[in-house]
DNA sequence: TGTTGGCACTCTAGGGGTGAGACTGCTAAC
DNA sequence: GTTAGCAGTCTCACCCCTAGAGTGCCAACA
């Protein structure tokens, strides 16, 4: 059933075949036009005739790495071709120094505010890769309560502010049946902090199951609410998504046709599938590439994503990445994503590294 | 210099001219194709011949309300034509009941969480108008501190959480030169809350100018930081913008051409100009319509915005609205925006209405 | 003076035809 | 196994042309 299990012989391409495929993908990415034998020869890296190249191309097409838009056109990589290129042929270079310094420079200009960091990260990714980008906020797997604060808003409305160990802050308003004073709320706040500090939703639940000292009536409802909210946070592994650079992607010729772009926008706006992919990337190791047409995006065959987790696994981690045309300069994008993820790792480590007891 | 000052006679259109203009705009909005005399007659509301209609059209064109894409095409409204239509001809109806109940239904399904409300509002606006939408978070003009909380993150890092009277929450991390304990921070937290509760940035500054009791060294830097942050909040009247429904807009025929859509995306991504327009709308009364090509969006001639402030002026107010093609059903969009703004007014009033002392 | 039918004119969108160009696959020779 | 040569295929850009929609003008009419 699995694609990879089915064609094991796909690996044994000759050196020249690999070279032809590599050149073709590179040239296609650069030119956005189908590549023929003549164009490949003109690149000057092959020391055979065009006829030989043609037979290699025909073979690569038979094997499923290439396809022809029509008989008299050059070849274009298939999904399988891109996969092979990415996994076997791409020179996995470090991001060139000029980019690194530019990114580093931008990151050091800003104050320590997570919101702005994430926005900046999205902007930097988008700008460096000339694509669209997305970044999710860092998140713990099982969040621990760092601080709860209850504030009187109105007679019968309470604002609850939760600060979790991963640095995320949640606020929510709750209505209670009787008027409450700020004094009473401050008192309850202290109690709750003493009781539940550093605990997970589960632990809070188990303390609740036992007797709660002196907490009954609406205060008990507040505790229930707290536990509920923390469970919500745990369930929604992906919360807010920062994005940038949609306009960049419109520069690419494949998006001349609006319907292609529509698919990309759909992909960014349909949170269900996006969340699925992002949460997979979250638990992956290193950079993950989802080529258009693969995985849950079967019908979005011309848009690819390059994603990487960042942060400290289970403690404060998120996903960042790039969304662009399948015909994208993967080597550059991958190295950019990797580098930015690494920057974020450093940042997160600095802030949440060894959390104090 | 001012456009309006230059053509005062533009007002005196005859009843029939107004009717022709009204019909033409409505028909053009519905059909997206230039409207000719024949089409107008076929609508059945005019009891004159096509020749008469033609001469009226020629006149309206001379006056600048209409234009022809080319000689043998029908007419299309100009910016001036749309303006006149919106201000004089549009029947300003209430949003039809089915829409109202649908929107009301959606608003009552969700718990009291501002973040989700705003996201929902954007989604509802986008869905009801089949356009793109944007919503800014409610904000006070001069925010007052409701609660500050300092939390030890790392030895030398402090997480500051600010809760302001308008319900917004800000978090930021600060590095200090020496290690600090949570106990010391809690103590400082209490001091700061006692000192500055319900104060504006300005008031905090003036207290700072006087002597601060027992606050020196890094704690003093924390206070400085607090004041700074609150000033930042005041300056940035528009902070986060929630948006939805970009994909809707791609359905419209004018966006077949990518460059048109690009302009819209640019408009949404270029925060400077967008913020300018939004902050103007924030201090306006009622629904504001910015027609493509007007105001700061001179070159974006085919995209319009319908904006409305919501909330309680100076206390907790924001802007919401719709972005779509200039050829949009203004009556429907305006009534939707107005209705949703009204819903939000209710919500905000419920939560921040009569803030307690 | 305002309205109308008639008419010549204009311009676009779309269909069909055509030729240049790019690329292929095949084959026979090296 | 490689190559040159060649016939074949298909697209794209271009042009031509027509149908159709719509106009402006004018003379006649109320």
């Amino acid at each position: 059933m699995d694609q990879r299990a089915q064609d094991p012989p796909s690996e044994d391409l000759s050196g020249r075949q690999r070279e032809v495929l590599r050149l073709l993908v590179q040239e296609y990415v650069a030119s956005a036009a189908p590549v023929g034998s003549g164009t490949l020869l003109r690149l000057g890296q092959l020391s055979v005739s065009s006829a030989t190249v043609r037979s290699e191309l025909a073979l690569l097409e038979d094997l499923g790495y290439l396809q022809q838009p029509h008989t008299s056109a050059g070849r274009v990589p298939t999904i399988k071709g891109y996969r092979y290129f990415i996994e076997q042929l791409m020179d996995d270079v470090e991001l060139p120094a000029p980019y690194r310094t530019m990114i580093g420079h931008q990151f050091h200009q800003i104050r320590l505010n997570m919101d702005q960091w994430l926005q900046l990260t999205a902007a930097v990714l988008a700008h460096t890769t000339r694509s669209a980008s997305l970044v999710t906020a860092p998140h713990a797997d099982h969040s621990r309560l760092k601080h709860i604060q209850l504030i009187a808003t109105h007679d019968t409305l309470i604002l609850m502010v939760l600060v979790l160990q991963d640095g995320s802050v949640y606020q929510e308003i709750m209505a209670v049946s009787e008027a409450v004073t700020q004094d009473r709320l401050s008192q309850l706040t202290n109690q709750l902090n003493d009781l539940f500090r550093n605990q997970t939703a589960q632990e809070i639940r188990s303390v609740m199951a036992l007797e709660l000292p002196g907490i009954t009536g609406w205060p008990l409802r507040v505790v229930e609410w707290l536990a509920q909210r923390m469970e919500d946070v745990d369930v929604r592994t992906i919360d807010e998504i920062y994005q940038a650079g949609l306009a960049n992607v419109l520069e690419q010729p494949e998006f001349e046709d609006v319907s292609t772009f529509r698919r990309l926008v759909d992909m960014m706006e349909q949170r269900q599938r996006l969340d699925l992919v992002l949460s997979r990337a979250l638990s992956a190791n290193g950079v993950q590439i989802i080529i258009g047409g693969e995985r849950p995006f079967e019908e979005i065959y011309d848009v690819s994503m390059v994603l990487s987790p960042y942060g400290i696994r289970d403690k404060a981690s998120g996903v960042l990445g790039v969304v662009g045309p399948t015909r994208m300069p993967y080597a550059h994008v991958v190295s950019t994503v990797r580098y930015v993820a690494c920057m974020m790792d450093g940042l997160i480590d600095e802030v949440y590294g060894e959390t104090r007891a």
Side-chain angles (χ1 to χ4, degrees), chain A:
Chain A
M1 294 300 140
D2 182 10
Q3 180 77 12
R4 263 154 257 189
Q6 266 190 340
D7 357 87
S10 63
E11 307 296 309
D12 45 357
L13 294 182
S14 74
R16 193 170 63 197
Q17 281 155 5
R18 292 162 59 95
E19 182 64 4
V20 166
L21 182 55
R22 197 179 65 80
L23 282 172
L24 187 139
V25 172
Q26 281 181 348
E27 177 59 21
Y28 179 63
V29 165
S31 71
V35 181
S37 54
T39 315
L40 285 176
L41 274 193
R42 250 170 273 132
L43 291 175
Q45 312 243 9
L46 295 169
S47 44
V48 288
S49 75
S50 72
T52 309
V53 174
R54 275 203 295 282
S55 64
E56 297 288 30
L57 289 175
L59 187 77
L60 286 168
E61 181 166 1
D62 286 346
L63 291 175
Y65 294 102
L66 302 177
Q67 71 189 83
Q68 273 183 303
H70 52 264
T71 327
S72 73
R75 258 84 172 194
V76 162
T78 59
I79 298 181
K80 187 176 170 188
Y82 279 117
R83 254 292 143 236
Y84 192 88
F85 174 83
I86 288 166
E87 281 166 11
Q88 313 246 3
L89 307 175
M90 194 171 73
D91 16 345
D92 206 358
V93 291
E94 206 188 355
L95 191 68
Y99 289 106
R100 290 210 309 276
T101 48
M102 200 181 67
I103 292 174
H105 187 68
Q106 298 215 54
F107 266 90
H108 287 298
Q109 274 190 329
I110 203 158
R111 287 181 310 161
L112 297 171
N113 175 320
M114 188 52 73
D115 228 52
Q116 289 172 29
W117 268 348
L118 297 172
Q119 221 146 320
L120 175 76
T121 307
V124 164
L125 270 175
H127 181 249
T128 313
T129 61
R130 314 262 348 120
S131 291
S133 65
L134 42 79
V135 178
T136 74
H139 215 310
D141 229 29
H142 294 284
S143 38
R144 289 178 178 278
L145 181 69
K146 192 171 229 166
H147 186 84
I148 179 175
Q149 187 72 41
L150 300 172
I151 298 167
T153 299
H154 225 184
D155 285 333
T156 59
L157 290 181
I158 302 174
L159 172 65
M160 170 175 76
V161 178
L162 292 184
V163 183
L164 305 185
Q165 200 111 54
D166 59 13
S168 51
V169 174
Y170 296 89
Q171 52 183 312
E172 200 168 307
I173 292 163
M174 178 184 172
V176 286
S177 45
E178 53 182 307
V180 291
T181 64
Q182 180 63 55
D183 280 351
R184 180 69 189 90
L185 283 181
S186 300
Q187 189 195 336
L188 184 58
T189 294
N190 290 335
Q191 264 183 296
L192 293 180
N193 277 313
D194 289 346
L195 269 170
F196 297 129
R197 192 187 312 278
N198 286 331
Q199 300 204 355
T200 62
Q202 217 178 353
E203 289 164 352
I204 293 176
R205 282 272 184 225
S206 58
V207 171
M208 281 176 68
L210 308 173
E211 213 167 334
L212 280 180
I215 298 182
T216 56
W218 64 261
L220 191 62
R221 272 193 55 219
V222 170
V223 179
E224 164 63 34
W225 180 37
L226 160 66
Q228 183 87 51
R229 194 70 183 90
M230 287 193 58
E231 278 160 1
D232 286 359
V233 170
D234 281 350
V235 170
R236 275 197 292 148
T237 38
I238 308 295
D239 196 28
E240 207 174 351
I241 298 178
Y242 297 77
Q243 45 177 308
L246 255 191
N248 288 337
V249 126
L250 284 170
E251 309 266 328
Q252 302 298 334
E254 31 268 90
F255 296 101
E256 292 263 307
D257 180 16
V258 196
S259 66
T260 311
F261 188 70
R262 209 188 132 67
R263 282 195 287 276
L264 191 148
V265 173
D266 281 345
M267 184 161 150
M268 302 283 264
E269 286 194 342
Q270 285 173 19
R271 284 294 298 268
Q272 285 185 16
R273 273 200 301 187
L274 187 58
D275 284 6
L276 177 70
V277 173
L278 291 180
S279 56
R280 268 192 214 163
L282 187 61
S283 50
N285 273 319
V287 174
Q288 248 210 330
I289 301 175
I290 295 149
I291 299 172
E294 287 184 333
R295 304 297 197 92
F297 295 110
E298 289 78 9
E299 85 285 8
I300 307 181
Y301 44 81
D302 27 26
V303 176
S304 291
M305 303 176 75
V306 176
L307 301 173
S308 170
Y310 73 87
I312 306 165
R313 178 79 51 95
D314 296 340
K315 215 168 176 186
S317 63
V319 180
L320 53 81
V322 164
V323 184
T326 295
R327 183 190 63 77
M328 76 165 67
Y330 287 98
H332 176 240
V333 171
V334 167
S335 58
T336 304
V337 167
R338 186 179 292 140
Y339 186 74
V340 173
C342 180
M343 296 285 298
M344 289 299 282
D345 281 351
L347 238 48
I348 297 281
D349 187 64
E350 211 174 288
V351 177
Y352 305 113
E354 316 126 34
T355 323
R356 306 195 317 179

